[in-house]
Structure formats: structure tokens, C-alpha cells
Amino acid sequence: MATLRTQIEEEHLTCSICYNVFKSPKALPCLHTFCEHCIREYVVSRGFETSGEFPCPICQAKVPIPAGGIEQFPNNHMVKSLSDTVDKTRPVPKPRRSLQPKEQEARGAEPPVSEPPPPYTPFSGIPPLQGGAYPVPANYSWTDRPGPPHPLPPQSDPPPYSPPQSVLSHSGQYPAPYSTTAPAPDVRLQEMTLSDQHPTPYRGAALYPTIPPNTPDTSSTACSFGMLLKFGKKGASVIDFNKPLGLAVSDSCDFVITDTGESKIFVFDYKGQPKKAFHCDCRIKDVAVNSKNEIMVVVNKPAAAFRCYDMNGRCLGEHGKSITHEEANGIAVMFNGGAVITGKQNHSVYIMTDQYKLSSKFGRKGDGDGYFQSPAFVATDAKGNIVVSDDRNCCVQVFNSQGRCKLRFGGPGSRPGQLLHPQGVATDAEDNIIVADSGNHRVEMFSSKGVYLRTIVSGTDQLGEGVHPVNVALTPKGNIAVLLRGKYFAEVRLYSPLTSSTHGSISRFCFVCGGGKE
């Protein structure tokens, strides 16, 4: 009975716009049925009200809008009656048995009341939370290896930051050998602002593994060819990473990183110096930054699929309620101002309008063109094409803005051009596709036609146990940011786009953002 009920709901009682069971079903003249609020949002978000008619979302037949509005479409009483019948056949859950001991139930005694837990205290060395902000240790060093936190040293005003002379010569060229010294963080920043609406306690140093003794430190030399900048580390500080996942770069070259381990969002400036860090009250995944300089973060909660924040951590709104049944993971900004989101549960990709309403979806489970096993991350190019990485199919697929598959490249393997569990994807100004080839511990670049061009970074496992690229992003001037993560390692590194781990050279680019005179 349960199987039949599920089949009826999926085939006859599911709205084609929101993919949920019908609510107030309205029948169009072409006999297709939709939720009243879904068809209203479909009409309003596309501006069809001014024309007086709209195409049916399924058959594209022209449908005139009634004089009284969408609510004047007739109710589909057959669908409503069938939905009510299915609801009546749902099994009623059994009442939960009392957790009290049988002796107490017999006597009618009240269960013992436990003492409330003591108030939360951050880890040793950091004073309690005051005013929604944690102080940042002065003279904080990104090069410290993760481990037990240290007490706060005395705070003092440092000298102003200046780029190391060993990194950039007066001629604008990088000397050989290239120095991998990362610029010192701006220690004048003394606090990281947390969300005032939903502050989440920091869970402390106990969650972070301690690096085994006698572990060789290769982070200063491995994968350093062509590197312009590195910042961040795994550790127990409030500005350290736990399990970073999302990576995006704004038009002003601010780096935005999401941390799924702590449901935290970090903002760093173009020098890799920390600016903000704030918590979310739910699980978070990938991140993107739109043209309004708003942070778009994938969230897993019943009321929304993603949120928008400003750069100060103020929540601007929640969107994507129609796809909350999905396990959203990756997000990217569409060329028209909308958004595209990958979903791992239904193996699909969802396109949102510029009003963040569901426009269409494509993809299903499989291993052919247009099919997914685990759509991981997504990116868009200047032509409006949608680039999706598939973790389990070990490939990348490119679709047009309507969701039609244009090409597929990769395939399981470790040879140049092959992929193994690809994760983050990004596109540059020439629509070249950069892929975080996680399983092969490298970052590869392909042309817009899927032709292998070069390997940007290779051998990331030399940085530490299990270190692999998780995500990639492009700066406004075309440099490639790579988010690396391992058991005892987490870091963001910036590489020149002309770098090749096996051949090639670094052209003349300005420090970090690639600007300046040639």
C-alpha cells in the first residue's frame, strides 16, 4: 500500500514547478495542473502579467490570464479529492512510549530534573564572548601548525603591511627561485564579528586532531611553483579552518570561504588577511558572490535552499523553498542574475530566476550525457553555459542555459585530461574550465570544448596526509584560487593562470590580483 501511495503521489499529485504535493491545485485550459502559488510566481517572476497571457510550463500552450487573476483558474477537484484520499491512507505513527521507569509510571512520580548545563566557555586562552565578537590574537601567524591553542599575547599596533621584496622585483617579474613566503596577516584586526541573529557557540579545540610527532612539514615547499599567495590554516582559533568547502571571490577580490565543520563563513581581503567570520544556525555547503557583492550560501534547512548575506554577515533573505526537498550542494551565479544549484539527492540541477524563483530543472540519475551520479559543484561562463562536476561519474558536463547537454569530458583515470572524483569547478575570461581533480591531488585546466590544456597544481598530497583540492575560484584578474584540505591541513593558495606543474613559465603579473602594467 505504501508503494502504491508513493507512486500515485509522484505521478499524479506532484506539482511540476515545486516538485511537491499539490497545494490548492489549479487547472489550466490545457488541462495541466499546478499549485496556485507556484503558477502565480511563475507568471509574476517572468513579467507575463503585462502581456495578459503566458505559456504553460509543460506544453508551452498560450494561456490567457483571467480577469480576476490566477485565483480565477478552476480548482482541480479530482486532484484535490485524490490527494485527500491518499492522506487518509497514511499510516498513523504509534504513540511514543514513556521513557520513565515502570516503577515511576506506576506511582505517577515525576522524572528527576537534571541540572542545567554550565554556561558555554570558549577554549582556554580566549576570553568569553562579549557583544557577539571574539577577539583575534594579536601577532597571529598563519604558519603555525594546528594544535592546542596558546594564550593571548599582549596586543600592540604593528607596522603597516608591505609586500616582501623577495616576492616581487622592481621590474614586476617573479625572481627564480620563487619565494613562497606568505604576507603577514593584518594584526590590527582585533575581532571577528559573529551573527547577531543566530550565534552558535564555538566548539573548541577538542574537535581538531593533533598532528602526530615527527610529521615532516612540507607545506613551505610542496606545490609552490607559480604560487602568488597562501593563507589560512587548520586549527582551533576562531579564525582557523575546520572543514572548509566553499570558495568564491568577489569583484573587489575578497575571498569568501565556507566551513561545514563549524557552519562558519570567512571573509579575507586580497592580501589574505582576515576581515570577518560569522556563524550560520544550520548546515552550510558551497558559496558564491553575486554582482551586488552579496554572499550566497547553500543551506540545509526546511524553509530555504540558500541564503544571502552582506559582507558584514547580515542575513538579507532566504530563498529556494521550492527545492528544500533536495540535498543542495553547489551554487553559482547565472549570467542574468539568477542562480543555479546542484542537488545530490535527486541527481539534478536547478535553475533559479533573477527573483530566485525556480525556473527549471534538468538531469536524472545515470551515467550518460545529461545524467548524474553525484552532481557536486557548478560554475557558469560568460555565454550562460552551466558547468557541472560529477563526483561518481568522474567527469564534467557543460549545458546551455536551458539545460541541454553540450559536451562531456574527463572520465575515470589519472592520465592528463582524466579525472577522479572532481569537485570544484570555475571558468575564466576565455571560458576555459578549471577543475579541482580531487582524487588525483591536482588542479587541471580544460578549454571550453573540453580539451585538456595544462595542470596548474599537482601532487597536493605532498602537503600532508590526504591533502586534496576541494574547490577553485577565479580572481577578477584571472588568477586561480585553490582551496586545499586534508586531515591535518587546510589552506587557500593563489596561483598564476599561466602556471603549469610540468612545463611553462609565469608571465609578468602583479602580486596577488594580477593587475598592473605588463
Side-chain angles (χ1 to χ4, degrees):
M1 185 63 182
T3 302
L4 178 60
R5 183 180 64 251
T6 302
Q7 183 178 356
I8 293 175
E9 288 182 346
E10 292 179 352
E11 296 182 1
H12 303 287
L13 300 180
T14 300
C15 174
S16 300
I17 295 180
C18 67
Y19 304 101
N20 291 321
V21 176
F22 284 115
K23 293 182 179 179
S24 184
K26 292 291 185 178
L28 304 186
C30 58
L31 301 182
H32 289 122
T33 301
F34 307 92
C35 300
E36 180 180 342
H37 70 278
C38 290
I39 195 64
R40 180 182 292 108
E41 290 181 356
Y42 174 82
V43 171
V44 173
S45 64
R46 291 161 176 78
F48 292 129
E49 285 183 318
T50 57
S51 62
E53 63 178 13
F54 63 93
C56 171
I58 295 179
C59 65
Q60 301 299 310
K62 294 295 183 181
V63 178
I65 300 176
I70 299 299
E71 57 271 15
Q72 295 302 315
F73 280 119
N75 295 321
N76 193 327
H77 296 288
M78 182 177 295
V79 169
K80 184 67 170 60
S81 176
L82 181 59
S83 179
D84 293 340
T85 302
V86 170
D87 285 338
K88 293 178 181 178
T89 63
R90 295 181 184 275
V92 179
K94 296 181 179 180
R96 185 179 179 182
R97 296 183 61 183
S98 174
L99 299 180
Q100 295 179 345
K102 294 183 178 180
E103 293 79 7
Q104 289 185 351
E105 292 182 0
R107 298 194 306 265
E110 295 292 335
V113 179
S114 59
E115 293 293 332
Y120 169 77
T121 303
F123 55 79
S124 173
I126 296 295
L129 180 68
Q130 296 179 355
Y134 285 113
V136 174
N139 302 321
Y140 183 80
S141 174
W142 290 112
T143 60
D144 291 342
R145 296 179 65 81
H150 304 284
L152 285 174
Q155 299 181 0
S156 60
D157 293 329
Y161 169 80
S162 59
Q165 295 299 321
S166 61
V167 174
L168 190 64
S169 66
H170 294 288
S171 63
Q173 293 180 327
Y174 294 100
Y178 174 74
S179 174
T180 60
T181 304
D186 187 355
V187 294
R188 289 170 292 181
L189 180 66
Q190 297 299 328
E191 65 177 28
M192 305 296 282
T193 303
L194 305 179
S195 172
D196 295 332
Q197 296 179 350
H198 307 289
T200 302
Y202 187 73
R203 293 187 289 175
L207 296 177
Y208 297 85
T210 303
I211 295 181
N214 303 322
T215 300
D217 184 4
T218 59
S219 61
S220 60
T221 57
C223 304
S224 59
F225 180 73
M227 185 177 68
L228 309 179
L229 174 71
K230 66 176 181 179
F231 61 89
K233 70 180 182 65
K234 187 163 186 174
S237 168
V238 293
I239 54 173
D240 286 341
F241 298 142
N242 180 3
K243 191 177 180 181
L245 179 70
L247 173 65
V249 185
S250 70
D251 291 339
S252 58
C253 205
D254 283 334
F255 298 88
V256 182
I257 298 99
T258 58
D259 194 316
T260 62
E262 290 290 341
S263 294
K264 194 188 302 181
I265 302 172
F266 297 91
V267 181
F268 297 84
D269 67 10
Y270 72 99
K271 299 177 183 178
Q273 301 170 2
K275 295 177 67 175
K276 293 289 180 183
F278 52 94
H279 280 285
C280 294
D281 63 331
C282 57
R283 291 180 59 200
I284 59 176
K285 292 294 185 66
D286 194 21
V287 65
V289 179
N290 61 20
S291 59
K292 301 177 184 178
N293 208 35
E294 298 172 347
I295 301 173
M296 304 167 64
V297 182
V298 173
V299 297
N300 293 139
K301 60 176 302 184
F306 68 96
R307 282 178 178 172
C308 290
Y309 291 90
D310 63 16
M311 285 293 175
N312 292 317
R314 183 170 63 93
C315 185
L316 303 177
E318 296 183 337
H319 310 280
K321 185 177 180 180
S322 58
I323 60 173
T324 53
H325 63 285
E326 182 60 273
E327 184 187 347
N329 188 76
I331 187 171
V333 180
M334 293 287 289
F335 71 102
N336 62 354
V340 56
I341 298 174
T342 59
K344 289 191 172 184
Q345 181 172 327
N346 292 329
H347 313 279
S348 300
V349 178
Y350 301 84
I351 300 177
M352 316 294 289
T353 68
D354 56 349
Q355 301 295 320
Y356 299 147
K357 306 297 182 183
L358 182 62
S359 171
S360 61
K361 80 181 239 334
F362 60 88
R364 60 178 61 183
K365 187 175 182 179
D367 56 4
D369 292 351
Y371 292 80
F372 303 105
Q373 287 287 351
S374 180
F377 292 87
V378 61
T380 58
D381 63 15
K383 298 177 182 178
N385 295 319
I386 301 170
V387 182
V388 183
S389 63
D390 193 327
D391 178 18
R392 296 182 183 176
N393 278 332
C394 298
C395 69
V396 172
Q397 297 190 68
V398 180
F399 302 82
N400 65 10
S401 58
Q402 285 76 43
R404 182 176 61 86
C405 184
K406 299 179 65 176
L407 66 97
R408 170 189 175 115
F409 62 88
S414 58
R415 298 171 59 186
Q418 293 180 324
L419 301 171
L420 188 62
H421 304 301
Q423 297 296 310
V425 289
T427 60
D428 62 11
E430 298 178 356
D431 292 338
N432 295 321
I433 301 171
I434 297 89
V435 183
D437 190 4
S438 178
N440 287 320
H441 308 283
R442 65 190 182 190
V443 176
E444 292 190 311
M445 177 183 286
F446 298 82
S447 72
S448 60
K449 302 297 184 182
V451 178
Y452 169 78
L453 298 179
R454 64 175 66 93
T455 298
I456 304 297
V457 187
S458 63
T460 61
D461 53 340
Q462 300 175 19
L463 292 168
E465 182 180 349
V467 177
H468 58 279
V470 177
N471 218 327
V472 290
L474 270 292
T475 68
K477 293 300 178 71
N479 291 320
I480 301 172
V482 181
L483 175 60
L484 299 163
R485 190 180 77 196
K487 186 175 182 180
Y488 308 110
F489 186 93
E491 193 171 79
V492 176
R493 294 192 172 195
L494 193 67
Y495 292 89
S496 166
L498 302 183
T499 299
S500 175
S501 63
T502 55
H503 56 82
S505 60
I506 304 176
S507 182
R508 290 182 294 175
F509 278 79
C510 176
F511 181 69
V512 178
C513 285
K517 297 181 179 180
E518 292 291 334

